[in-house]
Structures are given as structure tokens and as C-alpha cells.
Amino acid sequence: MISRTTQSLLGAVGVLALAVGIAEVHPPTGQAAVSGTTVRTAVQNTSLVCPPPLQGSGGTVYSLAAPGSASSASTSGSASLQALAAAPATGGAPSASASAPAAPAQTVVTQTSVGGSTTAKAAAGDKAPALLAAATGATAPGFTVQQTTTTGAILSGTACTAPGTDFWFAGADSNKGSNDVIELTNTESTASDADIHIFNVSGEVEDAQASNLDIPADGSLSLSLSSLLSPFNTNTALAVHVVVHTGRIAAALHADSGSKGADWIPATTLGTTQIISGLPGDLSDATLVVADPGTSDADLNVQLASQSGWITPAGHETVQVKAGTVTSVDLGAITRGQPAALRLSPASDTGQAPAPVVAGIEVVRGSGTSTDTGYLTGTGPIGERATAAGLSAGDSTLLLTATGAASTVKVSSVGGSGSTPVVQQVTIPAGTTVAVTPKAPSGGGTFAVTVEPASGGPVYAARMISRKSGSVPGFTLQQLSDDHSTVEIPHVVQDGSVLLP
């Protein structure tokens, strides 16, 4: 006679055997069954954050691009811009950052198919909120949103970015006449906590009112940079470090130097070598700002990748930055009519480990009182593919740099749903920068471009939108990086042993 315990054990073994049998009959399929250690597949969800536009009497346009991916398993999807539920909070001290009363979330615009022509306008005035940009399915791979503000003759532009926990900005200004504003946006359901560290030519500012900042759930916090500093800590060359302790946020910094111009300073990261792409050939002045937040001095070589190759600019061969401080260098009209990228690399004869730095350049175009400013920072290559939104015929220029071997890229202009992309092949000689005017697709209006490496070494890219108004050459610069259209997933191996005790 078989005992009840033995019957239970045999039953359990039978169930396990059946389970193993099912697993053997139905092995993994699709991407997970591809041979190799890992596979890449199209992303299914993308989320970005657009900061409050700070437009005053001007107006802001959002441009959406969903270039899609040939590897996407989805044939449908949806992308949207939605205002955050909580109204913006303002203030210069932690106590002034309490959440405003929540309001119903509002959808600004939606896009339901692959393309690059969808646009929407921000609400009027400086009460326009931050926006959450989200895409699913076929619209998620490479989803990009461009925010462009026109205030008089001045352009301010930024690509909406993904949330994170650590942000560096180089080139901020707290001098009289300037109005630099830090925007901290939290799209999560719980409040976030962050500190802001500010560095100037003397070191970190110790008495800054920027600790334990509370960023409300589904809301944003707007901080005037000068309000965080004492009246004696004004400087034209500041580095700002935002460190998030709880949750994730999107941090953005808008620099407004009054009549000189305004634009967003893109976030950057620490690195021993910094490549700042996107210098236009017709700039009238450029100011390099380098911060060394570490404990050892930085000694850096300066090079330009011009149209004729790598050159060392006369009078600006090196830059030295003392540990814990910021250094600024007036480079003047350093590009001399040729588009370029600037490389900062460790001097080889220092005898010590290179010091990580952050770097940025304030770019001025125009002359006298008819100027506008833009900002560039150290960035990485475009990776598998980069996407820029918000182009229109005749107003945009791509600045492409091959830092190593000669490279060829495919530039595709993407219009509305169902339109055929216009493709250009662009060759970039080794160590040079070329300027390219993207061809507009048929139908006119707003479009997007994608830049994909076809052969050769790494490529760095930026896009300039230029709209002259009277004598003022209004412009904005956005550097391009990988659009994260795909994600790497591990290879799945059939293994029935995981079902056994």
C-alpha cells in the first residue's frame, strides 16, 4: 500500500514532469530565442520631461518626432504631451518650495503614428507648466520633443530630457542684469529631495541657499540662481551641480543675459576628456567655462576639429583649472568662419591621474547690441541613431564632427505620417567638422531628422536653428545624442532545471 505522503510526493513529481514537458514543447520564441549572448529590440515606452518654458511675452512651440524603428514589433502606438498636475512652485529657499494645489492633468497634443510633423503651442505667459512627454508602441523608439521659445528676436530651445539623479551645468551667470533660472521637475507620484552645489572661480559657494529642496510630486520648482547666492557671490562663470537624494527629477537651467541673449544650458557629465560639438563658423565670441570639482588640478590641451582638420588655436593651447574651482577663457571668434568642435584632453606630461572636469561654451552671434547667445557642453557621440525635432525649411543646420577616422552618416528628413523620408549621405573627413543643411521632405511644414552612422569612426552632432529678426541673428543650439530607440536584453536559454527542486 502506498502511503498518503508517498502519493503526494508522486503527484508533485508528476506535476513537475508535466511542467517540464510543456517547457520543452514550447521553447522561447522571438527576440529572446535569437542565438548570441544579448539581443537588441525596439523600446516600447519612452518618457521625457519638458521644463516650464519661461517665455514671458513670447511664445513656445513643441515639436514631436517619432521616427520609429524597423525592429519594432508594434504597428500602432501613441505619443502625447501632458501638463503636470501640480502648478509650478517658486522660491529661492527650501521653505518656499511647497507644492501648489493640484490641478487636473491636461493633454496638450497627441500623435498616433510615426512621423515628425506634430506641433503644439504652450499656454501664454510664464505660468505655462512643465510637460510630461510619453510614447508607447511604434511611436516610442527614438521619440524626441523639441521646445522652442521666441521672445522678440531671441530664441531659446531645448530638447526635452529623461529624468535622472545627477546633473551638471557649466556657464551659468549670477551677475547684475542676468536672470538665470533653475527648473526642477518631478513627474513621479511622490515628492523628491535635492541639493544644488554652485562653484565659482574661488571654489564651491558655501553659503548657497540650496539644500534639502523639496520638489513636489507631479510638479516643478523654479529657482532664480541669484536668489541662492549672497550679493557678493556674483560671477559670470559658474558651474551648477544638482544632486537628487530621493526619487528622480528632470533638471534644466535657462540662462538669460538680458540684451545679450538667452538660451537653455544643456546638462553634462564629468569626464577627463570633453568634446564640445556644434560651434558655428560665424560666431562672434565664445567663452569657455571649465569646472574641476575634484581634489587635483586639471591641465588640459585645447584643440579644434575645423573644416580642415585638427588644429591648436593660437593663444589658447592649454587651460589650467585649480582643484575645486571654475576657470573661464574668452576664446573670441575662435572658429574664424569654419564650423568646429572643441576638444579638451589631459596634458600628457603631468605625472598624475587626469582630473575629471565639466565644460561648456557660451556662443555669441551678431555684433553690438544685435546679438543672441547659445550654449554648448561636453557631450558624447550620436551612437546608433540621433533624432532632432522641430526643423523647418531653411532654418536648420547640422554640424557633424568625426573625431577619429573619416565617417559617413545617413541623414533622413522625416515629415508627416505616410510621407517618404528624404535621405542624404554625408561624408565627414577624419578630424573635421562639416555643416549640412537638411533637405525638407515634400509637403513643407515642420519635420524631423535622424542621423545614423554608416561607416567609419564616432560622430558628434549638433543642430542650430537660426531665425534672423531685423539685425538680430536669433538662434539656438542643441547637441544630439543617441535617441535610445533600442534596448539590449539578455539572451534567454531554455533550461528545465529551474523547475526542479
Side-chain angles (χ1 to χ4, degrees):
M1 176 180 292
I2 301 175
S3 69
R4 188 177 300 273
T5 301
T6 303
Q7 287 178 330
S8 299
L9 180 59
L10 289 174
V13 171
V15 170
L16 282 172
L18 179 60
V20 172
I22 293 173
E24 294 292 339
V25 172
H26 301 285
T29 60
Q31 289 280 357
V34 177
S35 61
T37 57
T38 59
V39 294
R40 299 199 70 87
T41 187
V43 300
Q44 292 296 302
N45 294 279
T46 300
S47 295
L48 306 170
V49 180
C50 307
L54 301 175
Q55 58 196 347
S57 60
T60 298
V61 174
Y62 299 97
S63 302
L64 282 64
S69 172
S71 63
S72 177
S74 302
T75 57
S76 62
S78 178
S80 66
L81 295 182
Q82 189 174 74
L84 297 190
T90 60
S95 60
S97 63
S99 173
Q106 177 185 6
T107 298
V108 176
V109 68
T110 59
Q111 177 174 325
T112 57
S113 58
V114 170
S117 62
T118 301
T119 61
K121 291 184 178 181
D126 273 343
K127 298 299 182 183
L131 300 181
L132 173 63
T136 61
T139 61
F143 178 56
T144 303
V145 180
Q146 170 72 17
Q147 174 179 310
T148 306
T149 299
T150 305
T151 306
I154 304 300
L155 287 184
S156 292
T158 182
C160 303
T161 58
T165 58
D166 191 278
F167 307 86
W168 276 98
F169 302 92
D173 186 350
S174 63
N175 268 357
K176 184 178 181 180
S178 297
N179 183 26
D180 288 14
V181 177
I182 302 171
E183 295 289 349
L184 307 178
T185 302
N186 178 16
T187 61
E188 298 187 353
S189 58
T190 57
S192 292
D193 175 75
D195 291 342
I196 299 176
H197 303 276
I198 303 172
F199 297 80
N200 63 17
V201 294
S202 301
E204 182 173 0
V205 179
E206 297 295 339
D207 57 350
Q209 303 297 306
S211 298
N212 299 316
L213 300 170
D214 184 36
I215 304 96
D218 290 322
S220 57
L221 175 63
S222 179
L223 300 164
S224 170
L225 183 61
S226 60
S227 71
L228 301 177
L229 302 169
S230 71
F232 306 104
N233 277 322
T234 58
N235 205 287
T236 57
L238 296 174
V240 178
H241 187 201
V242 179
V243 181
V244 183
H245 300 296
T246 305
R248 296 189 310 154
I249 65 171
L253 199 161
H254 187 261
D256 185 347
S257 55
S259 60
K260 186 178 176 181
D263 212 337
W264 295 91
I265 300 177
T268 186
T269 57
L270 283 165
T272 55
T273 296
Q274 295 284 355
I275 294 178
I276 305 174
S277 62
L279 291 168
D282 64 348
L283 62 80
S284 55
D285 192 28
T287 302
L288 173 67
V289 177
V290 185
D292 175 2
T295 57
S296 59
D297 297 348
D299 189 7
L300 303 164
N301 293 324
V302 180
Q303 293 175 292
L304 281 179
S306 65
Q307 283 182 329
S308 55
W310 285 110
I311 61 173
T312 299
H316 301 294
E317 295 85 355
T318 61
V319 173
Q320 288 79 39
V321 191
K322 290 188 177 297
T325 71
V326 178
T327 292
S328 67
V329 181
D330 185 357
L331 301 175
I334 191 170
T335 56
R336 301 188 183 280
Q338 297 186 28
L342 184 142
R343 179 168 67 189
L344 299 173
S345 57
S348 58
D349 57 354
T350 61
Q352 60 183 6
V357 299
V358 292
I361 295 180
E362 179 192 58
V363 175
V364 180
R365 294 176 72 225
S367 60
T369 58
S370 300
T371 62
D372 194 11
T373 58
Y375 294 86
L376 299 167
T377 54
T379 188
I382 60 174
E384 289 193 342
R385 184 184 72 180
T387 299
L391 291 81
S392 55
D395 75 354
S396 297
T397 303
L398 291 176
L399 303 166
L400 307 173
T401 301
T403 55
S407 302
T408 300
V409 297
K410 181 175 75 172
V411 177
S412 302
S413 299
V414 182
S417 174
S419 65
T420 301
V422 177
V423 178
Q424 299 168 262
Q425 292 285 340
V426 179
T427 298
I428 312 161
T432 70
T433 299
V434 299
V436 178
T437 300
K439 295 179 180 179
S442 60
T446 302
F447 64 97
V449 294
T450 61
V451 183
E452 299 175 79
S455 64
V459 174
Y460 292 73
R463 186 273 310 274
M464 180 172 69
I465 300 175
S466 182
R467 298 171 186 166
K468 190 171 184 178
S469 177
S471 60
V472 179
F475 76 105
T476 181
L477 292 159
Q478 282 78 55
Q479 291 161 306
L480 310 184
S481 58
D482 195 298
D483 65 14
H484 303 296
S485 58
T486 62
V487 64
E488 195 173 76
I489 59 174
H491 173 58
V492 178
V493 179
Q494 180 176 291
D495 185 3
S497 66
V498 299
L499 298 174
L500 297 175

